Amino acid sequence: MKERLYRFMQGRYGGDQLNRFLMVMVLICFAISLLGGRAFYLIGTVLLIYAYFRMLSKNIYKRREENTAYLRCTYKVRQTFATWKRDMKQRKTHHIYRCPSCRQKIRIPRGKGKIEIRCPKCGQTFIKKS
């Protein structure tokens, strides 16, 4: 069975980030439709059909272009969340301050007491607790 599926999918596009987003939107639409929104059920069904169409498509070049356009449009949002996630991870071991003059982020290790911080970008010094 696995071999038959593998042979069927050869030459087809498969899944990517846009398909993953479409599937999440399908789940959200179906969940909202359970609360009584028939229009959301129809929207979810259309999105599901489009996601499967993309997955089973043999026009790989066109699907790759669609995914690239999606990634280009969502770049800023994804980058913002990645930065926020990185900063939250580092919060246990470091303080992250902004320089008062140039707004450059500066990462200082925790537990050093009151220290004078020199901004590597503009050279401004300021005192903060680490």
Side-chain angles (χ1 to χ4, degrees):
M1 182 69 182
K2 186 177 179 182
E3 181 66 29
R4 287 177 63 190
L5 179 64
Y6 179 73
R7 261 189 274 126
F8 175 74
M9 287 303 289
Q10 276 185 336
R12 298 183 189 275
Y13 186 65
D16 60 3
Q17 292 89 349
L18 177 56
N19 266 13
R20 206 171 322 145
F21 172 74
L22 288 172
M23 289 299 192
V24 168
M25 293 306 294
V26 165
L27 288 174
I28 290 171
C29 286
F30 285 164
I32 292 173
S33 75
L34 289 174
L35 302 174
R38 182 163 171 81
F40 285 103
Y41 181 78
L42 295 173
I43 292 170
T45 305
V46 169
L47 288 176
L48 184 65
I49 291 169
Y50 181 62
Y52 274 112
F53 164 76
R54 290 188 79 254
M55 218 179 302
L56 300 175
S57 174
K58 288 190 174 188
N59 191 350
I60 294 172
Y61 179 74
K62 187 87 166 172
R63 302 295 85 83
R64 192 176 295 146
E65 277 184 359
E66 292 170 356
N67 189 51
T68 303
Y70 165 74
L71 292 175
R72 201 175 314 113
C73 288
T74 61
Y75 176 75
K76 291 252 188 206
V77 173
R78 288 181 294 115
Q79 208 57 29
T80 301
F81 278 109
T83 303
W84 181 79
K85 183 179 176 183
R86 186 192 69 225
D87 288 351
M88 287 297 127
K89 201 179 236 184
Q90 293 179 0
R91 275 235 152 104
K92 294 177 184 174
T93 57
H94 293 82
H95 278 286
I96 299 173
Y97 293 115
R98 287 200 176 266
C99 174
S101 63
C102 69
R103 308 296 293 159
Q104 170 73 32
K105 280 186 177 180
I106 304 169
R107 190 177 76 141
I108 306 298
R110 285 184 178 268
K112 303 290 185 192
K114 257 188 176 178
I115 58 173
E116 183 179 51
I117 302 167
R118 184 178 177 275
C119 176
K121 188 175 178 183
C122 69
Q124 168 103 14
T125 58
F126 55 97
I127 297 174
K128 291 284 186 175
K129 182 183 169 195
S130 68

